[in-house]
Structures are given as C-alpha cells and as structure tokens.
Amino acid sequence: MVRSLRTALILSILVLLAAYLRWPWASSTNQRRATASPQASTDMAAALKVLTVTPRAKHTATIIFVHGLGDTGYGWKPVADMFAAEMQHVKWVLPHAPSIPVTANGGMKMPGWFDIYEFGGAINAREDEEGMLKTVHALNQLITAEVDAGIPADRILLGGFSQGAAMSLLTGLTTERRLAGLAVLSGWLPLRLKIKAMMSDHAKKLPIFWGHGKADPIVRYDRATMSLEYIKSQLNLNAPVAPEKVLEGGIEFHSYEGLPHSVDDQELVDLKTFLKKVLPSQD
C-alpha cells in the first residue's frame, strides 16, 4: 500500500514539476515583458474538456478535482487511480483549463483558470476577478451535469490544487448547492473583500480539508494561514476544527513541514481519510 502510494505520488509530482519548470522565473531586467489584456481569460461558459476516471463499482459519488496553473487534468489521474481501490463507488472528473496568457509569465500562454499578475503575491494582491468568476461558472456547470446524471449535490466533492484549490474554495462557498465538502491543497482565499456578500447560506456547514506545505515558495504558507484567519474572523466559519468534528462544518487544516508547492504521501493519506469520511460507500 505504502509503496504503491509513493509510486503514484512521484508520477503526480513529476507532472506538476514539469509544468512549473517551464515558467521563466529569472528573466532579464532589460527584457520587455508582455502583459495579458483584460480579455485574457478565455470565456469558459462553454463546457470544459474533462478527463473522467470511471468508478469500479456502482456510481454513488463524484469528486471534481481542479488542477493548478500549467497543468492538466492528467496531472491528478495517478491520485484518482490510487484512491480508487478504497473508493470504488467514486467517479473522478478532472477538468482541463483553457490555455490563456499569464501576465506573471511574460504573457506566455499556458493552462490556467485565471490570470496571475505576480507569483508569490500577498493576500491582498491584484486579482483577475473576471477570470475567477468565469471559472466558478464553469465549475458549477460540471456540478450541474453530475446532478442531472442522478448524483445528489451532497454526494459531490469539489477540490483542487493551487489555482484549482482557490477556485474550488470560491465555488464551494458560493454555489447554491450544498456539496459533500471541499478539498483545498496549497490554496488561498480569493476575492476576500467580496466573498462575504457572495457566500451561500450553507457555507458554514461545509466540511473542508485544507493542506499546505510550510516550505511553499509559490503560494506561501503565511498566505494560507492569513486566509484561514480571515475565514474565521470575517466569514465566521469554524477554522480550524478537529478531524473528528469536520462533518459538522468547518476547516480541517493540516500543515506539512518541509513541503514545497506540491503534495507528499502524508498529505495524500490525510486527504483520503477525509474523502472516505465525507463520501462513504453506500453499499
């Protein structure tokens, strides 16, 4: 079990690292940097392209997992495959972001859910609100598709990594449907000055898993903790809560020593425990 977990994890991390290593971290100060236009965010009102990992048993629950900047849904397929043995009733929907110009990447196009103006920005950094809201709409369409297919909203979990984590949190706290829960990996709270007015009535009852590496240089650990504090003080969500209390609503927060902008086997073990709790088999 541990060996197979580690093998699948390595495959997942290699895909993520391959995407991040394409970014031009150290450009010359004399190089002219392109800037994405206000229309940089692709209109995602149309249906997203997705990778589907079918359940091995009767389909009674769905996990929609949203990748990070520069990646695709394929980057998280090893995790879906790994968890399938113990969650055979779950279908995984892994959407692919459209390719958009990214300002912080010199305007170079890459898969992204919204524009990024600077890497490693502070909690109050400038945000691509238009792009974020388009992604929220697109993710809500995926949720609707699952409900229309016969899966109750409270048997659907939305999660993601980095950009995908931020979009999962924004969508989950504002969607009209009461989901089974959210999974936030290496993410942050977006649109923090506006989200309070956007929140749904059932947001405070959502079980939320949040994991973050303390050595993350991309989405810094303090951005996660400040997001958590804001959620607690301004949005009045229970944060953090003990794992045994998370089903009552609130954020189960896990930090990981030495972990950069990635996941490790302990975080995946913790995540799987949470997923099995909020999406139990109905056999």
Side-chain angles (χ1 to χ4, degrees), residues 20-81:
Y20 281 111
L21 288 174
R22 291 199 297 268
W23 298 353
W25 292 105
S27 59
S28 168
T29 55
N30 295 323
Q31 181 179 359
R32 182 177 181 271
R33 298 185 62 181
T35 302
S37 71
Q39 301 302 319
S41 297
T42 300
D43 184 0
M44 284 179 277
L48 292 172
K49 294 181 179 179
V50 303
L51 171 66
T52 300
V53 179
T54 57
R56 300 181 184 181
K58 181 181 178 182
H59 178 205
T60 62
T62 296
I63 293 174
I64 301 171
F65 197 89
V66 188
H67 65 75
L69 182 68
D71 198 8
T72 69
Y74 286 100
W76 289 89
K77 186 177 184 295
V79 175
D81 291 337

Side-chain angles (χ1 to χ4, degrees), residues 3-279:
R3 183 175 300 173
S4 62
L5 177 67
R6 186 177 295 112
T7 300
L9 172 63
I10 290 172
L11 290 173
S12 176
I13 291 175
L14 285 175
V15 174
L16 291 171
L17 287 177
Y20 281 111
L21 288 174
R22 291 199 297 268
W23 298 353
W25 292 105
S27 59
S28 168
T29 55
N30 295 323
Q31 181 179 359
R32 182 177 181 271
R33 298 185 62 181
T35 302
S37 71
Q39 301 302 319
S41 297
T42 300
D43 184 0
M44 284 179 277
L48 292 172
K49 294 181 179 179
V50 303
L51 171 66
T52 300
V53 179
T54 57
R56 300 181 184 181
K58 181 181 178 182
H59 178 205
T60 62
T62 296
I63 293 174
I64 301 171
F65 197 89
V66 188
H67 65 75
L69 182 68
D71 198 8
T72 69
Y74 286 100
W76 289 89
K77 186 177 184 295
V79 175
D81 291 337
M82 182 196 322
F83 288 1
E86 297 182 48
M87 303 185 71
Q88 299 191 15
H89 58 292
V90 173
K91 168 186 173 182
W92 288 72
V93 177
L94 308 173
H96 307 303
S99 183
I100 64 170
V102 176
T103 300
N105 202 24
M108 182 183 297
K109 282 191 172 184
M110 62 197 315
W113 299 110
F114 53 87
D115 194 9
I116 294 284
Y117 300 114
E118 61 176 318
F119 293 122
I123 191 171
N124 60 348
R126 179 186 172 198
E127 294 179 300
D128 176 16
E129 180 178 350
E130 180 184 1
M132 289 179 175
L133 294 180
K134 287 179 179 178
T135 295
V136 167
H137 177 69
L139 294 179
N140 271 310
Q141 285 187 318
L142 293 182
I143 295 169
T144 296
E146 291 303 303
V147 172
D148 289 347
I151 301 301
D154 62 4
R155 295 286 292 170
I156 299 172
L157 180 133
L158 181 62
F161 176 81
S162 193
Q163 261 203 347
M167 290 297 89
S168 296
L169 188 59
L170 180 60
T171 305
L173 293 179
T174 60
T175 186
E176 63 184 13
R177 294 186 172 95
R178 166 66 159 88
L179 302 177
L182 305 176
V184 179
L185 309 185
S186 302
W188 71 96
L189 177 69
L191 302 184
R192 66 185 184 92
L193 299 181
K194 297 186 177 183
I195 193 171
K196 188 171 185 178
M198 300 165 59
M199 281 177 57
S200 65
D201 293 337
H202 47 251
K204 295 178 182 179
K205 298 179 181 178
L206 267 179
I208 302 172
F209 176 94
W210 192 320
H212 210 106
K214 288 189 171 182
D216 191 336
I218 308 300
V219 181
R220 298 193 309 266
Y221 181 71
D222 61 352
R223 194 172 185 186
T225 56
M226 285 189 288
S227 292
L228 198 70
E229 179 56 35
Y230 188 89
I231 288 170
K232 179 180 179 179
S233 63
Q234 301 300 316
L235 305 186
N236 298 317
L237 270 66
N238 293 325
V241 298
E244 60 270 18
K245 297 287 188 179
V246 73
L247 290 181
E248 300 172 13
I251 299 176
E252 175 187 328
F253 186 79
H254 295 260
S255 59
Y256 300 94
E257 293 288 344
L259 181 65
H261 196 61
S262 185
V263 294
D264 63 12
D265 48 1
Q266 184 56 57
E267 183 172 15
L268 291 181
V269 168
D270 294 338
L271 174 62
K272 183 172 63 175
T273 299
F274 172 81
L275 295 178
K276 291 171 68 175
K277 190 183 305 180
V278 298
L279 293 175

